[in-house]
Structures are given as C-alpha cells and as structure tokens.
Amino acid sequence: MMHSSRLTRRSVIKGGLGLALATTALTTLGLPISARAAGKKVIIGAFADGGLTPFKQKIIPLAKEQGFDIEFLEDEYGVTLEKWFADAQSGAGQYDLYLLDDPWVPQFGAANVLEDLGAGGIDGSDKDWIGSMIDMGYWPPQKGPRVKGFESAKPTLICVPFVGDLQTLTYRNDVFTDGAPKTWDDVIAKGKEGVAAGKIKYPVVFRGVSGNPIVTSWYPVFLSFGGSFFDDKWNPIFNSAEGKASADFFVGTMKQNAPNGVVEFDSDQEGAAILGGDAGAIIQYSGNALKADDPAQTKVAGKLDFGVVPKQQSAIGQMGIFIAGVPKSAPNKANSIEFLKWYVSAETQAKLSEAGSIPVKRSAFGIAKPGNRLIPVALQQLDAGSLPRPRTPDWAKVEELLGIELNKALQAGSGGGAALDTAAKQVKDYLTTAGYY
Amino acid sequence: MRAAAQARKYRLQGAGLDLALPYLMLAPGLMIVLGVLVYPLWDGLRASTRAYRYGSPVADVGFQNYVHLWSDGQFLNSLWVTVKFVALSVSFEAVLGFALALFCLREFQGIRLLRTVLIIPMVVTPVVVAIVFRLIYASDAGMLTALSEAMGGGEAQILGNPLNAFIGLVVLDVWEWTPLMFLILLAGLQSLPHEPFEAARVDGAGAWRVFADLTFPMMRPVLAVAIVLRTIDAFGTFDQVFVLTRGGPGEATRLVSIYGYDTAFKFQQTGYAAALFVTIGLVVLALAFSAIRLLRRVDAS
C-alpha cells in the first residue's frame, strides 16, 4: 500500500494547529525553549546615552570573543521605562537584560518581575564592589527607610551595577586657575571674574526644565547645603532650613549667573553652553562630562577640567548608574546571568575602565591606564559622597511635584523656599493617598 | 401523513437556516468588533475602578478614582489648560481656515499650486512639526532669537515663559491644523449652489452683504462639522507637547493627555489614569453630542 505524501490543505492546517498548540503549551509551562536553542545569545535592552559608548565599542566585541552572541537594542530614554515595564509585567520575553536607570529599580523590584541574581550565583557581598553602587541593586533596600508592604521582606539582589555614572564638576581651567572651585560661592565669585575678563559669558549653567531635569541639577546643591529628602518614616523634610537655603540659592543666585533661557534648558542646552565655551562650570553626569575631551564636540578642548562637586557643608553629588536586571521572562536567562558574571569580573571591569567607562568594581579604578581623566575624579567623588535618589517606587511622582514647583520659582527668580513648602505639602498628600503613613 | 410531516420538518429547518444565515455571516465581523472595540473599552472601564500598587494585589475601589480626580489639583489644572488650548486653537483655525477658503475660492493663475501648498502643514508628522518649532523657539540657538538679535534685540524667551510657551503651542497647532479647516470649508464653499449668489449680484449686493446673508448661513453646518472634528482631535493633542515642552514650564502647557500619560507610564498609576481618560472621553462625547444637536437645530432653521 502506498502512502500519499501530497501536501493537502487539511494537513497544513492540522500541522499549523499542532505547532501552535505545542508552542503555547511550552510557553505556558515556562519551559526555557530559547535558552536551550539559542546558545549564548543575550538580548540587551538599553536607553541611548553617551555613558554606554565605551561598552558598545570595546566590551561587546570582547564578549563576542567569549562566545556571547550579543544583540544590543537601544531606545530613547523617555520610552524605555514604560516599554520594559510592560514587557516584564506581561512576560513578553523580548529582552534578556535591561540596562535600567537606577531609580527604576524600586519599581521593578516592587512589581517582582526581575530574577534573584544572588540565587543565580552573583556575589553581592564581594568587597570589590563600590558599596554605594551594589546597594542600589537590592530590593527592598538593605539600609534606610522601606515602603509599606516591604518592611520585613528580605533584601534580594535583583540588579547589578553595570556602568558607573555620577555627577561631578566640569570647570574652565582658565577661569578657575587655582583648580576646581571648592564651594558654590567660589563658583559664582570666580565665575564673575571670568565673565569680567571676557573669558566666559556665564559663571554657571544647569538644567531648568520641570520635573526630573531641574531636580537633578538642584540635587547636588541641595545635598551640599546639608539637605535630606525624607525622614525614616517617609515624611518630606526637604523644606528644612538647609533645603530652603539651597533652593533660594539655586533659583536666585545661580539663575542670575546662568544663561537667560536656563528655565527651558535640558541636557542639550546646558551641554552646548559648557562645550561652546560660554559657561564657567557645570555639574553633570559622566556621559556628558566625557565630551569635554573631544575636540569634535567642544570649542574649548584643553580648557575643561574635572573636580568633585562644590560644597557648602559637604560635597555630595547624585549617583545615577546604569544597572542591569534580568527579567523573569527572559528567553535566554542562563546566558544573561553567565554574561553578567563575566562582565562584573575584575578583569572585564579593568577593560571597561581602559575603554573609558566608569567601572563598578573598586579594583578597576586603580588600573595603570584608565581610559579617561574622569575616572580618578569619579573615585574621589564616590569617596567624598555620591547618593542615589530615595529608594521608593514613587520617586518619579515626587520628583515631578518637586520639579514643577522649583521650575515655577526659577521662572520667578525667587521664592525657592516657598516652592519647597508647597511641594512638601503636595508630596505628603500624595504619599498619604498612596498609603505611606 | 408521515411524508407530509417530514416535508414540513425540512421546510422549517430550511427556514431556520435562512433566518440564521445572516447572523452566521455577520458573526466573524461582530467578533472582530467585540475584540478590537468593545473588549478594550470594557477593560479600560474595569481598570478605572481598580487600584494598582506595586507588590500589592489589585484592589477594587469602585468610583474612588473618579471622585479623586476632582480634588486632584494637577488634573484640574491640566483640564483647564486643555480647555483654553482647544478653545483658542480651534477658534483661530476656524477663522483663518474660512478666510483662506474664501480667498482660494476665486480662480486665478497659480491657485491650484496655492491650494496644494496650503495643505502641506497638515500632512507633516506632528512630531516633526514639534521639532521644527523647537528649533524656532529655542532661546539659545533658535531662529526667533537669531532674528531678534539681528534686529538688535535680546534672546527670544518662548519656552521658558508660561504665557509665551502656551501661545507658542497654540501657534504651532494653528499652523498645523488650519489647513484641515481650510480643506473642509473650501469643499463646502465649492458645493454651494450658484443661483442665490448670482441673484444677489444682480440685486447689487456688496461682498459683505453676500457673505453675511448668504455664504455664512449656508456654510454654518459645514463649519460646525469642521469645528466638532477639530475640537475632538485637539482634545487628544499629545505628540507636539511631548516634544516641545513636556507640559512645562511649570504646568503651563500640561494638557490632560500629557498628565494622563505621565500618570499611567511614569508614575505607574494605571487605574487612576484609566479613570482620567474615561472622564475625558465622556467630556469629548458630550461635546460631540451637543454639537450634533446644534447641527440639527441649524439644519431645521
């Protein structure tokens, strides 16, 4: 008896249905189909930022030599949070690794969508980590106040620091001829001399746009004046006397010594002011600071130096690292954890430092030839103080409320203290509604 | 007897099939409508009565989200900004669009090219329009600043000043969407009957008389449709503000669409954002129904 091998419509439909059912069943059961099938493939999701350039240019080729098949998917910063959060919550499994901005860790942590990397074999207690960086990978946090619902939960390492990124000072060495200005008063006084001498147009430049940009620029001023955001019960205390003094200084003195349009300035505009030779000093993140040495991007190459943020009481900047988390829905989970272990090893971190990125392991700061002049300054800043934003999933809303009021005061050129009072009330009301107290 | 009963049964079965057939044929389309329209709407409504908190189970909160909206200063502000923005933009677009349509009704050399050029802004992607206007408005290196400095003035402060930023946004919208108004009104003008106008001319009526007594009354239904369409559309304006100001400075240009987006995606308050958008949807629906009633009244008169 002969069997017909002719492809009939019925057989195609039956085959297709069978395949669909089998795939659905395997996916539903959570079997790691791709992890077995795709070898050492790792799909990394990142937001576009200059701070990742050395990683892309130097470390990805090294990873490929190690047998990793890296797919690097970039998106604009503004859309990554919602895109990845939706990916993680729906279990869509489009990525193996998210390179998060560190204030997003509480959101992903509280939603319980990231893998426990400690259980995957990554040692969070290794003394070689920069302590303040690895602390950001735990949810709930190991230190400091915890939000409701997580008071007694065991801290879990859900993210590992990926590329160090923090605020430092960039200044004009032909204006500040005695080295980096030590205090905010120095920034203004010496900057004015630079303006009078015709070397610069403005002593300082910063970001004034509502929300995250203005809060990010005010943050180091606030901390250096001795301010704190919350007490250990999540009561807003940023409108303390120190906080108000910093806000008045920021919207008053600093605005008067910054470009006229500073209220609408974001990274691009503040970058143009310092790189174009108009401004004397700026507090900025590493990705932007590194442009200072690139003659293709600055008119004043050779005239820009780095230092720790100026102080009033202390010299503390904002820490904002790239931090990696593995979604529970990652299709190549085992590969991504293996990749992370390789990536955070002292050897690879030394290569990262050579490539010009801020490493996350202390040993990599001490290598003979770091890739740029910022790396030793970054270590000085880390030792002087570099703090993350408060560890709450509601930081984005807090920052928005605060940022709007600060921006209004900046428009007026005064009333920073009053703006903080208004924002503190709004934040308290919001957190009350959100069940914090 | 038995054969007759059998025949009757077959006849009934046939009739049943005949009755059911249209529904069977409609079923796939109906399923698609249910899937893509009704289910998302239902899901959105359901989400609006829930509270989503990180790490906590989803909680049913009834109409609490809706009630809370009316004591939320940020929502009320964004609603007020939206109403001002829609009223101003649509008014300017209607007046300008009508004026342009009247002008382009005349036949002269180059009129076809002019009509084509006039609709170009409408076909440019809103995000691109916003980027172009950002390059015009930017205080440090914008075209307005360059122009002002060339004329001996200082920097043009548009995006850093609440009033100027709001006006700037209205200007952008008017630039982009007046062509839509123009297009609808031009089509309306071209479809008007010629006889009344010829009669008026024979009677020696002036241009203003013709406009006030003939053109405008006859164009009222078309104008109303154009205004309703544009109003509904303007309520959903998002891209331009997202790129141009992100709602700032302060909250001067924060339309409800931006506040809703931030609430849903930045602050992760999905249920509350759903309640916000349902509320806005109802406001727009109410506006549309009122406009339709108004249209009927106009038609009747």
Side-chain angles (χ1 to χ4, degrees):
Chain A
M1 191 176 156
M2 279 181 69
H3 291 281
S4 167
S5 61
R6 198 160 60 95
L7 202 61
T8 64
R9 191 184 301 164
R10 177 173 290 192
S11 67
V12 169
I13 292 171
K14 273 169 73 178
L17 272 174
L19 188 66
L21 280 171
T23 313
T24 311
L26 285 172
T27 312
T28 314
L29 290 170
L31 298 180
I33 313 167
S34 315
R36 285 181 300 165
K40 291 174 89 172
K41 186 175 181 67
V42 182
I43 308 165
I44 302 178
F47 51 84
D49 190 289
L52 287 173
T53 307
F55 170 76
K56 286 191 286 184
Q57 290 178 347
K58 303 279 171 64
I59 305 301
I60 290 181
L62 275 181
K64 286 184 176 166
E65 283 174 21
Q66 294 293 314
F68 292 105
D69 173 14
I70 306 285
E71 192 176 341
F72 193 80
L73 305 176
E74 258 182 327
D75 260 310
E76 192 265 323
Y77 181 89
V79 299
T80 40
L81 171 63
E82 59 258 32
K83 194 170 173 179
W84 296 346
F85 206 69
D87 176 73
Q89 280 194 310
S90 67
Q94 300 295 301
Y95 301 90
D96 295 312
L97 209 64
Y98 301 130
L99 297 191
L100 304 166
D101 192 5
D102 67 85
W104 301 344
V105 173
Q107 278 164 280
F108 281 79
N112 193 25
V113 290
L114 298 180
E115 281 293 334
D116 176 355
L117 299 176
I122 295 177
D123 181 11
S125 64
D126 182 353
K127 296 286 178 236
D128 200 17
W129 287 110
I130 297 287
S132 50
M133 290 186 183
I134 190 68
D135 281 349
M136 282 191 260
Y138 283 91
W139 182 260
Q142 302 192 96
K143 289 176 261 179
R146 291 186 185 180
V147 297
K148 273 240 156 55
F150 295 92
E151 297 96 330
S152 55
K154 184 174 171 283
T156 306
L157 186 70
I158 55 165
C159 287
V160 292
F162 199 80
V163 168
D165 202 7
L166 67 163
Q167 290 179 328
T168 51
L169 173 80
T170 303
Y171 66 95
R172 283 281 292 270
N173 54 26
D174 57 335
V175 173
F176 300 93
T177 46
D178 300 331
K182 298 283 183 291
T183 67
W184 284 103
D185 292 335
D186 284 347
V187 170
I188 303 299
K190 287 270 180 67
K192 280 180 174 172
E193 288 172 19
V195 174
K199 293 175 180 169
I200 50 174
K201 288 185 186 171
Y202 317 100
V204 70
V205 63
F206 54 91
R207 298 157 78 188
V209 173
S210 261
N212 167 278
I214 191 169
V215 176
T216 302
S217 277
W218 172 65
Y219 201 103
V221 184
F222 169 70
L223 293 179
S224 72
F225 271 67
S228 296
F229 278 99
F230 295 101
D231 66 10
D232 57 1
K233 298 273 186 285
W234 290 106
N235 293 301
I237 52 168
F238 52 75
N239 56 336
S240 62
E242 294 84 2
K244 285 180 174 178
S246 74
D248 284 330
F249 176 77
F250 184 74
V251 305
T253 308
M254 279 182 72
K255 185 191 177 187
Q256 288 155 19
N257 289 282
N260 291 332
V262 75
V263 174
E264 64 179 87
F265 274 24
D266 207 338
S267 306
D268 292 352
Q269 289 85 359
E270 65 165 13
I274 190 78
L275 298 174
D278 290 344
I282 184 175
I283 302 293
Q284 59 185 351
Y285 269 103
S286 321
N288 283 333
L290 289 173
K291 295 175 186 168
D293 276 346
D294 181 359
Q297 301 201 58
T298 177
K299 289 181 187 170
V300 282
K303 290 183 179 175
L304 293 170
D305 276 340
F306 308 121
V308 295
V309 299
K311 67 177 178 181
Q312 212 70 12
Q313 288 184 18
S314 45
I316 305 176
Q318 188 182 84
M319 168 98 82
I321 60 172
F322 297 87
I323 194 162
V326 177
K328 288 187 171 173
S329 57
N332 307 293
K333 212 177 290 176
N335 295 347
S336 56
I337 292 176
E338 193 185 335
F339 168 76
L340 280 178
K341 284 179 185 168
W342 169 78
Y343 176 75
V344 299
S345 67
E347 295 74 29
T348 315
Q349 284 295 299
K351 296 281 182 197
L352 184 72
S353 189
E354 269 175 26
S357 241
I358 311 287
V360 295
K361 290 281 182 84
R362 188 167 283 271
S363 57
F365 282 91
I367 63 163
K369 285 185 181 170
N372 63 61
R373 297 185 294 131
L374 184 63
I375 290 173
V377 178
L379 187 61
Q380 284 172 34
Q381 183 65 66
L382 285 165
D383 290 337
S386 188
L387 290 179
R389 285 152 277 197
R391 309 289 314 281
T392 159
D394 291 293
W395 174 248
K397 180 74 180 182
V398 172
E399 193 176 55
E400 185 77 8
L401 294 168
L402 188 52
I404 287 171
E405 294 309 317
L406 271 176
N407 177 268
K408 286 178 184 171
L410 188 69
Q411 287 166 37
S414 62
L420 292 193
D421 279 337
T422 309
K425 188 188 173 309
Q426 290 174 355
V427 169
K428 177 89 182 177
D429 288 348
Y430 172 73
L431 295 183
T432 303
T433 315
Y436 273 58
Y437 311 111
Chain B
M1 184 71 180
R2 196 169 169 198
Q6 195 72 25
R8 189 163 170 265
K9 190 179 161 194
Y10 285 141
R11 265 204 312 278
L12 279 175
Q13 276 179 347
L17 194 64
D18 281 351
L19 278 173
L21 194 62
Y23 297 103
L24 283 173
M25 294 185 80
L26 276 175
L30 207 62
M31 295 288 278
I32 291 171
V33 170
L34 283 172
V36 302
L37 189 71
V38 179
Y39 177 72
L41 271 175
W42 163 246
D43 205 42
L45 281 170
R46 202 174 50 156
S48 72
T49 61
R50 290 177 162 191
Y52 300 84
R53 286 295 301 164
Y54 313 96
S56 309
V58 176
D60 280 315
V61 293
F63 290 101
Q64 206 175 297
N65 285 334
Y66 290 94
V67 175
H68 180 52
L69 272 177
W70 302 102
S71 59
D72 178 351
Q74 290 196 300
F75 168 71
L76 294 176
N77 175 74
S78 66
L79 189 60
W80 175 232
V81 173
T82 308
V83 169
K84 282 191 297 184
F85 167 76
V86 172
L88 268 173
S89 303
V90 177
S91 305
F92 277 117
E93 286 157 19
V95 172
L96 276 174
F98 208 161
L100 283 171
L102 283 169
F103 180 75
C104 289
L105 196 58
R106 291 181 291 177
E107 290 295 333
F108 54 86
Q109 204 172 4
I111 184 65
R112 285 184 180 202
L113 179 68
L114 181 64
R115 284 176 193 156
T116 311
V117 169
L118 279 173
I119 62 167
I120 286 175
M122 192 181 82
V123 296
V124 180
T125 312
V127 170
V128 174
V129 174
I131 291 170
V132 170
F133 272 76
R134 204 175 159 77
L135 294 173
I136 295 171
Y137 291 156
S139 66
D140 55 340
M143 281 196 259
L144 280 181
T145 289
L147 192 68
S148 165
E149 285 175 349
M151 293 164 69
E155 286 179 354
Q157 298 292 333
I158 307 292
L159 300 177
N161 175 290
L163 180 64
N164 294 351
F166 181 77
I167 294 171
L169 186 64
V170 171
V171 169
L172 180 156
D173 198 76
V174 169
W175 184 82
E176 186 170 19
W177 293 114
T178 296
L180 177 69
M181 210 62 106
F182 158 74
L183 211 59
I184 297 172
L185 296 174
L186 182 64
L189 284 171
Q190 285 173 332
S191 66
L192 293 181
H194 293 280
E195 295 79 9
F197 294 93
E198 281 164 11
R201 214 168 293 132
V202 170
D203 289 347
W208 172 248
R209 251 322 9 118
V210 170
F211 175 78
D213 292 343
L214 286 176
T215 315
F216 189 72
M218 290 165 85
M219 280 295 289
R220 268 197 307 205
V222 183
L223 188 61
V225 168
I227 288 174
V228 169
L229 284 177
R230 201 38 224 130
T231 300
I232 292 170
D233 195 36
F235 256 94
T237 301
F238 178 82
D239 326 34
Q240 298 94 323
V241 196
F242 190 81
V243 173
L244 194 67
T245 64
R246 284 303 288 260
E251 295 177 281
T253 59
R254 202 182 204 193
L255 305 184
V256 277
S257 56
I258 295 286
Y259 183 54
Y261 168 84
D262 285 346
T263 304
F265 298 111
K266 229 160 98 180
F267 315 143
Q268 307 286 347
Q269 296 175 279
T270 321
Y272 189 54
L276 184 153
F277 282 120
V278 168
T279 304
I280 295 305
L282 290 174
V283 169
V284 173
L285 213 61
L287 271 174
F289 277 127
S290 312
I292 289 165
R293 285 190 63 180
L294 192 74
L295 263 179
R296 284 195 184 135
R297 214 176 294 162
V298 169
D299 273 349
S301 67

